[in-house]
Amino acid sequence: MDIWQIWIIAAIILFIVEVLTPSFFAAGIGIGCLVAGIAAIFIPEVWAQLIIFSVGVLLGFIYIRPLVLKYLHRKDNTINTNVDALIGRTGRVSVTIDNSAGQGRVMIDGDDWKAVSAEGSIIPEGSCVEVLRVDSIILTVRKTE
């Protein structure tokens, strides 16, 4: 088996390892192995292949890794669901909100929710409100108009 084949096999193994780990560490080294394997076809000296391998790894980490992390591993890929998705949404008051009387309802996307005013003020029916917090099934809102 020639040295270039060993470099290519190492690159393939590292790319397979990268599929199983989301850090792009193994792929960065795999890029170095791939570049060194291609160079080994033309350059028989091992010391030159090691230098090319090092440069390939360095370039992989400096130029390719940030692009991969930016587009494939987004930090903010959480999606709010259920009641967490209501925070920040706007709705219309369907029953006047009066904290002292214990009444108030808000309609959001066809769903009717019990609501309280964040400031403690009375919010009349038909007003637009923004959801600030969700406590169980009660929305804490503030008037947006």
Side-chain angles (χ1 to χ4, degrees):
M1 185 178 288
D2 291 332
I3 190 77
W4 70 269
Q5 293 171 326
I6 294 171
W7 282 114
I8 300 297
I9 290 170
I12 292 170
I13 290 170
L14 286 165
F15 289 138
I16 291 171
V17 168
E18 182 59 39
V19 170
L20 303 174
T21 60
S23 64
F24 197 76
F25 182 76
I29 298 171
I31 289 170
C33 288
L34 183 64
V35 172
I38 293 169
I41 296 171
F42 305 106
I43 303 170
E45 292 84 15
V46 176
W47 63 269
Q49 295 170 20
L50 289 173
I51 291 173
I52 292 170
F53 165 76
S54 299
V55 170
V57 170
L58 187 65
L59 292 176
F61 282 130
I62 290 174
Y63 293 110
I64 297 173
R65 186 171 193 266
L67 292 174
V68 170
L69 292 178
K70 180 178 180 182
Y71 293 110
L72 297 180
H73 297 289
R74 295 185 184 229
K75 301 275 189 234
D76 187 28
N77 59 357
T78 58
I79 298 172
N80 290 329
T81 59
N82 301 328
V83 294
D84 295 331
L86 292 173
I87 297 172
R89 300 281 308 272
T90 57
R92 188 158 305 275
V93 176
S94 58
V95 173
T96 300
I97 298 173
D98 185 357
N99 292 359
S100 60
Q103 69 178 15
R105 299 200 67 83
V106 172
M107 184 73 75
I108 300 175
D109 292 336
D111 293 325
D112 195 47
W113 294 85
K114 181 162 178 51
V116 295
S117 172
E119 298 89 20
S121 59
I122 295 174
I123 303 175
E125 183 177 336
S127 300
C128 287
V129 292
E130 178 185 5
V131 178
L132 302 176
R133 190 172 65 243
V134 179
D135 297 317
S136 184
I137 59 169
I138 301 172
L139 305 181
T140 302
V141 298
R142 75 166 175 227
K143 191 171 180 180
T144 59
E145 295 178 310

